[in-house]
Amino acid sequence: MAYDIERYLNVRSAGGPTFGPAGELAFLLDTTGSNQVWRVDASEEWPAQLTFHDERVAFASFSPTRDELVYGTDAGGDEFWQLHRLAADGSEDVALTDDPDAKHQFGGWSHDGDRLAYAANRRDQGVFDVYTQSRDETGADADLLVEGDDYDMLAAAGWSPSDDRLLLHESHSNVSNDLYVADVDTGEVTHATPFDDDDVQFSSVAWTPDGDGVYVCTDLGADTHYLGLLDPGSGDVEEVASGGDWPLESVAVDHDSGRLAYVRNVDGYSELTLAEADGTSLGEYPKPDLVDGVVSGVSFDPDGERVAVSASSPTENGNVYVVDVESGDARRWTDASTAGIPKQTFREPELIHYESFDGLDVPAFLTLPEGDGPHPVVVDFHGGPESQRRPWFSGLRQYFVDNGYAVFEPNVRGSSGYGKEYMNLDNVRNRMDSVKDGEAGVEWLAARDDVDEDRVVAYGGSYGGFMVLASLTEYPDLWAAGVDVVGIANFVTFLENTGDWRREHREAEYGSLADDREFLESISPVHSADRIRAPLLVLHGANDPRVPVEEAEQIVEQAGEHVPTEKLVFEDEGHGFTKLENKLTAYRAVVDFLDEHV
């Protein structure tokens, strides 16, 4: 039985778990149409909803000592996150910040539960300062700890176990970071990573239980991220767990029990490791028994005996699992609905690799529908570009497959998850090599008997939207249709109009307006729109702070002179679609568009 797109979009997802001081568990669930905070106290108990906003909730974090938590929400997808303090039973909801023109990035609770830290761009939208604030104060009373004028995109990254220091994370670009330690009383800042190498990442960090060091997932001196132990006084890093061929992407530490968790990314699939943390020595526990997919959001319980994680796979929608540290036994604590669609109908992708134009090995996921074909195929490009298509659940993917489409998801050069060298292969003047990788993927598909090479769709969001538009202009005869979701059409106007806090960050990846304007213009699809031969559907959010809606307006105006072009802009959305009503409208439009043209 084939189900309507509406049914697939009603498949729910639970994630973002956080343990409370009494062992209660809060998490995010989108049952109402957008993520809200819910609570459950035991495995598969009926959960209680704690927040009731029309807008999405981005995260929730329990206090370590009180029955309350902090959560963040924005308005209309604008990403100007505001922080709230919420009673654990939902009875009290207090706005901690109230500055709708500023982003507030949560940086953690102090261990005594009296204070919180965050970074915000209140003074200047291009600068992030770091604040500490009492739990019972408002943002106007917050203490400005570090002014960010001399830093690139500064963030608070966790309190030391003694609560006298705060770890700071500076992001120069997606491939270059630095760490600092700020004295909470004096505001004095010490540079903890004074390395000569400019391109060093710290993708995840956590203080050691004794507060003398910091566990870091880093690629310092290596191609892939490993787990290291940083001495913040000397800047020395000792390897704790090797990255090998596959990077370590996150680390979490329970300071009271001394236990540690880290997640390794193995060709997109997650491997969770639990261990006793003793400096550079790790006593590992049995591997947790989790779904074969993607794991994130690790939270230790108050005793350090259990960890809660988010997990999903191509055939298992997102849920929260609680793992017993010593045994590895994992139990699902949430039961997010599949909207009545039997799980056995969900299709598993095949992880494949194909050769690109220059011999580069490109990984991809291919999901085929039932039957011999030949099938039409949706080539789905991810965003980022330093992101990665991974084996998590996607209702849209399952809809396409259930309705006769194959879905091909390439991780073209520039994707994360495969090491520093691979991720840097598309930088600046090499941008169009990633588009060539997409073309090579279509050629690989065309050689298969089960794929109809005359019915290939380019689909993608954000940077993936650029990949769609560039593919349509560079290789116009390959495509039967294109769907661009919040995509970049003109790199010059994108960089001119993106949020002030993002411009320098993005120029490090794409090239600068000062030095590379001519090149950026030459690769912008809007200037080659007359080459497009396939019908085009463009979807965007009016409040998009990352890729402003003007990008959609430009490509629709230019492409509309040559091919059938449709545009749909949502006034209450930003960089993507978060409200169920809008998702239903957007993806129904995608389905109708493809039914007509493919």
Side-chain angles (χ1 to χ4, degrees), residues 573-590:
E573 296 283 10
H575 195 62
F577 314 123
T578 62
K579 297 180 175 68
L580 179 59
E581 180 182 359
N582 293 337
K583 289 180 183 178
L584 294 174
T585 301
Y587 295 114
R588 169 56 64 193
V590 172

Side-chain angles (χ1 to χ4, degrees), residues 188-243:
E188 181 182 353
V189 176
T190 302
H191 191 189
T193 55
F195 306 127
D196 294 332
D197 187 350
D198 290 334
D199 291 336
V200 177
Q201 274 191 317
F202 298 95
S203 59
S204 181
V205 296
W207 288 95
T208 57
D210 60 11
D212 291 338
V214 179
Y215 286 112
V216 294
C217 293
T218 183
D219 58 2
L220 175 65
D223 187 54
T224 58
H225 288 69
Y226 57 92
L227 182 64
L229 179 59
L230 167 69
D231 180 338
S234 67
D236 294 334
V237 176
E238 293 185 75
E239 184 177 292
V240 177
S242 171

Side-chain angles (χ1 to χ4, degrees), residues 34-351:
S34 62
N35 272 334
Q36 299 298 313
V37 183
W38 295 66
R39 170 182 165 168
V40 68
D41 294 337
S43 175
E44 296 194 65
E45 252 189 16
W46 189 262
Q49 186 176 351
L50 303 184
T51 60
F52 301 86
H53 297 285
D54 293 331
E55 304 291 351
R56 62 183 170 174
V57 173
F59 76 93
S61 177
F62 248 115
S63 163
T65 58
R66 294 179 176 88
D67 289 332
E68 62 187 24
L69 44 84
V70 166
Y71 72 90
T73 187
D74 68 346
D78 63 8
E79 300 184 21
F80 291 125
W81 305 107
Q82 305 302 314
L83 305 181
H84 296 248
R85 175 168 53 82
L86 178 70
D89 61 1
S91 61
E92 183 183 35
D93 191 324
V94 178
L96 295 175
T97 64
D98 185 18
D99 192 337
D101 294 323
K103 294 168 66 77
H104 298 81
Q105 306 281 19
F106 185 60
W109 287 95
S110 61
H111 291 74
D112 59 15
D114 290 341
R115 294 169 292 174
L116 52 127
Y118 57 84
N121 58 345
R122 292 173 179 168
R123 292 188 305 113
D124 180 332
Q125 286 213 342
V127 175
F128 280 87
D129 303 321
V130 175
Y131 298 83
T132 62
Q133 180 175 323
S134 172
R135 57 170 289 279
D136 54 5
E137 292 178 336
T138 65
D141 301 316
D143 294 322
L144 176 56
L145 181 65
V146 179
E147 292 188 350
D149 301 84
D150 296 329
Y151 303 91
D152 297 324
M153 205 173 288
L154 202 59
W159 298 75
S160 66
S162 56
D163 287 338
D164 61 342
R165 291 162 294 156
L166 197 63
L167 192 62
L168 307 180
H169 183 280
E170 180 184 24
S171 182
H172 306 291
S173 71
N174 281 4
V175 298
S176 178
N177 312 142
D178 265 302
L179 298 177
Y180 302 84
V181 175
D183 186 292
V184 173
D185 291 329
T186 67
E188 181 182 353
V189 176
T190 302
H191 191 189
T193 55
F195 306 127
D196 294 332
D197 187 350
D198 290 334
D199 291 336
V200 177
Q201 274 191 317
F202 298 95
S203 59
S204 181
V205 296
W207 288 95
T208 57
D210 60 11
D212 291 338
V214 179
Y215 286 112
V216 294
C217 293
T218 183
D219 58 2
L220 175 65
D223 187 54
T224 58
H225 288 69
Y226 57 92
L227 182 64
L229 179 59
L230 167 69
D231 180 338
S234 67
D236 294 334
V237 176
E238 293 185 75
E239 184 177 292
V240 177
S242 171
D245 293 332
W246 305 111
L248 274 70
E249 59 188 6
S250 65
V251 60
V253 175
D254 181 64
H255 292 149
D256 291 334
S257 68
R259 286 174 167 167
L260 173 149
Y262 65 81
V263 179
R264 188 188 303 273
N265 178 343
V266 181
D267 226 349
Y269 291 85
S270 295
E271 288 186 357
L272 173 64
T273 297
L274 303 173
E276 290 284 345
D278 182 13
T280 57
S281 299
L282 298 182
E284 295 187 5
Y285 291 106
K287 290 291 183 185
D289 182 23
L290 289 166
V291 299
D292 192 18
V294 180
V295 174
S296 61
V298 177
S299 175
F300 280 94
D301 77 356
D303 300 320
E305 295 178 353
R306 300 173 298 169
V307 293
V309 299
S310 310
S312 81
S313 77
T315 58
E316 290 281 347
N317 55 319
N319 272 292
V320 173
Y321 296 78
V322 173
V323 180
D324 180 86
V325 172
E326 292 189 358
S327 69
D329 177 61
R331 298 190 177 216
R332 193 181 66 192
W333 271 43
T334 62
D335 189 16
S337 170
T338 62
I341 305 174
K343 286 187 177 181
Q344 61 266 29
T345 66
F346 297 147
R347 306 282 289 184
E348 189 85 38
E350 177 187 2
L351 175 60

Side-chain angles (χ1 to χ4, degrees), residues 361-484:
D361 184 71
V362 178
F365 290 96
L366 174 63
T367 312
L368 293 169
E370 292 185 352
D372 296 330
H375 309 290
V377 58
V378 175
V379 178
D380 187 357
F381 295 108
H382 68 68
E386 309 96 337
S387 185
Q388 182 185 21
R389 191 49 54 89
R390 302 186 65 178
W392 46 51
F393 185 83
S394 165
L396 187 61
R397 181 201 301 127
Q398 294 298 342
Y399 168 81
F400 282 138
V401 173
D402 192 35
N403 284 269
Y405 289 88
V407 178
F408 184 70
E409 301 168 281
N411 282 310
V412 298
R413 71 188 68 201
S415 302
S416 60
Y418 308 100
K420 183 187 306 186
E421 180 181 356
Y422 192 88
M423 190 167 67
N424 288 335
L425 286 176
D426 69 337
N427 288 355
V428 191
R429 300 297 171 122
N430 297 321
R431 177 65 42 213
M432 300 308 286
D433 286 351
S434 61
V435 182
K436 293 179 183 178
D437 289 345
E439 186 267 344
V442 175
E443 297 295 341
W444 181 87
L445 288 167
R448 296 175 62 100
D449 294 334
D450 52 5
V451 168
D452 185 345
E453 63 179 305
D454 294 323
R455 293 189 293 164
V456 182
V457 178
Y459 181 97
S462 190
Y463 176 78
F466 159 74
M467 288 290 294
V468 168
L469 299 175
S471 297
L472 296 182
T473 58
E474 293 296 309
Y475 306 102
D477 297 329
L478 288 183
W479 308 97
V483 180
D484 160 30

